[in-house]
Amino acid sequence: MLSRQVLRAARAAGPLLPLRSVRSFAAAASSGGNNAQPPIAVFGLDGTYASALYTAAAKSSALDATAKALASLDALVSKDAKLAQILSAPTLTADDKASIVAELTKQAGSGAASSTVQNLLAALAENNRLGLLKGVCEKFGEIMSAAKGEVELKVTSAQALDNRTLSRLETAISKSEYVGAGKKLKVTNEVNADIIGGLVVEVGDRTIDLSVSSRVAKMNKLLNDTL
């Protein structure tokens, strides 16, 4: 797991990126033109970093490469719980942070986005906010979806849905009032056994709860109110 590589590399770590590199990342966000500004606002500290990253990547013509790199980092953090704990540890030394930045930059891959992603990681490390990385990845994904005219469609089910079912849902919802003209759906299926059965459909900022658990909860409330 990556967490083991990070721990092994800590002793051999060099210094963090020079502070000027961290400052250049922030400067890229503040000096970007209209074409480099995020198409939507995302909130929270992770949203602030994601917005700055979008601007920096747009100015260097590396948006797609950056999106790919952050998707890789998001997957790493998601599958390695220990790594997530390490990133959030308040006791990380400068050497620890240096090893983490170096290893994560390596895992993100080389190419057009390499320096932009490295500057993001260095900025997070410099401000003791490496624990925000997963949130930054997610918020950046939201910004990229908006830039491509995509609308998030998250379907939660008690068991994984097959491609045919997901395709039918996508077709039906794409014709509904929930999706604007010219928009594309970005479909994901999450499994949550707690809903028992049925579906919970989230389109953009709207939620349609058709789960069995929701019906049971409503029935219980009705019985309690009646009794």
Side-chain angles (χ1 to χ4, degrees):
M1 284 189 175
L2 180 60
S3 55
R4 294 176 182 173
Q5 294 173 254
V6 167
L7 290 172
R8 284 198 300 266
R11 293 181 180 177
L16 281 173
L17 285 179
L19 188 57
R20 62 179 178 272
S21 296
V22 177
R23 286 173 177 163
S24 69
F25 174 76
S30 61
S31 63
N34 289 334
N35 291 336
Q37 294 303 309
I40 60 170
V42 288
F43 303 99
L45 276 175
D46 49 5
T48 299
Y49 280 98
S51 297
L53 178 63
Y54 181 90
T55 298
K59 290 186 68 179
S60 60
S61 301
L63 280 173
D64 288 340
T66 301
K68 183 178 179 180
L70 259 67
S72 297
L73 293 178
D74 188 21
L76 284 173
V77 178
S78 295
K79 72 180 182 181
D80 191 343
K82 191 169 183 178
L83 174 60
Q85 292 177 352
I86 292 172
L87 294 178
S88 299
T91 56
L92 291 175
T93 65
D95 285 349
D96 292 334
K97 294 173 187 176
S99 68
I100 291 171
V101 169
E103 191 61 40
L104 289 178
T105 300
K106 178 181 176 182
Q107 294 294 327
S110 59
S114 180
S115 62
T116 301
V117 172
Q118 185 178 31
N119 287 342
L120 164 70
L121 294 169
L124 290 171
E126 184 74 24
N127 292 287
N128 298 316
R129 290 171 178 161
L130 282 168
L132 294 177
L133 179 58
K134 182 169 178 56
V136 173
C137 293
E138 292 173 350
K139 294 289 177 67
F140 187 81
E142 291 178 22
I143 296 173
M144 286 298 295
S145 289
K148 294 178 180 179
E150 296 175 339
V151 176
E152 295 279 348
L153 169 59
K154 184 170 78 172
V155 182
T156 303
S157 53
Q159 296 180 333
L161 300 177
D162 57 51
N163 290 335
R164 181 181 179 184
T165 301
L166 286 173
S167 180
R168 290 174 62 187
L169 281 169
E170 180 180 1
T171 299
I173 294 173
S174 64
K175 299 176 182 177
S176 73
E177 62 184 62
Y178 298 110
V179 182
K183 300 290 185 180
K184 298 177 292 183
L185 285 174
K186 182 179 178 181
V187 185
T188 58
N189 178 207
E190 290 193 3
V191 176
N192 181 359
D194 290 341
I195 72 171
I196 304 175
L199 302 172
V200 178
V201 180
E202 298 175 60
V203 188
D205 58 356
R206 302 186 182 186
T207 301
I208 308 167
D209 192 343
L210 304 174
S211 65
V212 172
S213 62
S214 175
R215 296 174 190 170
V216 171
K218 290 177 181 177
M219 186 178 297
N220 286 337
K221 185 179 184 305
L222 179 61
L223 288 172
N224 289 332
D225 291 346
T226 303
L227 297 175

